[in-house]
Amino acid sequence: MRGEPMGWWETLISVADFPARWHCGRWTEAHGWLHILSDLGVASAYFTIPCLLAYFVFRKKDVPFRKLFFLFSAFILFCGSTHLMEAVIFWWPAYRLAGLLKLATAIVSWTAVFALAGVVPQALRLRSPEELEREIEARKLAELHLQHLNEELERRVAAGVADLTAANVTLRAER
């Protein structure tokens, strides 16, 4: 099979023509591990954040803009994948795959930007918790006022009925 052209996947993961990052330039042990551990730290945070976002959205069914949360989760996962790949490249120089991951991250990133831009006007129209509290308080006061007016009306009707009953009794007595 030597000499046969590689398939797309084999080309993508091939490390031919690329040295591991440890062999590019003058990496000291400390400098290399600083990059590796930093990238792994960022990647682990980038993998944890979407898990927490997804958990939140699944648990709270009335979250507005649910699809946007999932899109941001995908964006953050892709960002984490690129950082993970940057750490892996120190041993496995799959730069083509790393480039493809970065391209996918860029596509998802800009998809998130356009989706967010479309949602911002709707999000700005949402009322704040303070506004909702004020509206609830105003409705409670209006309901209380209406209840008092209703009680007053019932008293007046009862008084009117009593007056009519007394007038009827008087009329009957006079006849």
Side-chain angles (χ1 to χ4, degrees), residues 2 4 6 13 21-22 29 38 48 55 58 65-66 72 83 89-90 92 122 133 141 145 151:
R2 277 280 204 235
E4 287 184 27
M6 289 193 289
I13 63 172
R21 185 162 285 159
W22 279 118
E29 188 98 4
S38 296
T48 304
Y55 176 75
F58 280 125
F65 316 113
R66 290 173 66 85
F72 272 106
H83 280 278
I89 282 177
F90 273 84
W92 182 51
Q122 295 170 337
E133 287 295 327
L141 287 173
H145 183 65
E151 290 168 0

Side-chain angles (χ1 to χ4, degrees), residues 80-156:
S81 298
T82 60
H83 280 278
L84 180 61
M85 195 67 202
E86 288 297 316
V88 168
I89 282 177
F90 273 84
W91 294 278
W92 182 51
Y95 285 97
R96 291 179 188 91
L97 180 58
L100 188 63
L101 270 173
K102 287 180 180 183
L103 175 63
T105 302
I107 291 168
V108 171
S109 300
W110 277 102
T111 303
V113 167
F114 288 122
L116 182 60
V119 166
V120 166
Q122 295 170 337
L124 289 173
R125 285 193 299 267
L126 293 176
R127 291 177 290 186
S128 71
E130 294 81 17
E131 289 172 312
L132 292 172
E133 287 295 327
R134 283 193 299 271
E135 184 177 324
I136 289 169
E137 193 58 39
R139 286 182 183 203
K140 284 180 182 178
L141 287 173
E143 188 176 303
L144 189 60
H145 183 65
L146 187 59
Q147 185 179 356
H148 289 309
L149 289 176
N150 235 1
E151 290 168 0
E152 177 64 26
L153 183 59
E154 286 176 5
R155 277 194 295 277
R156 287 182 181 183

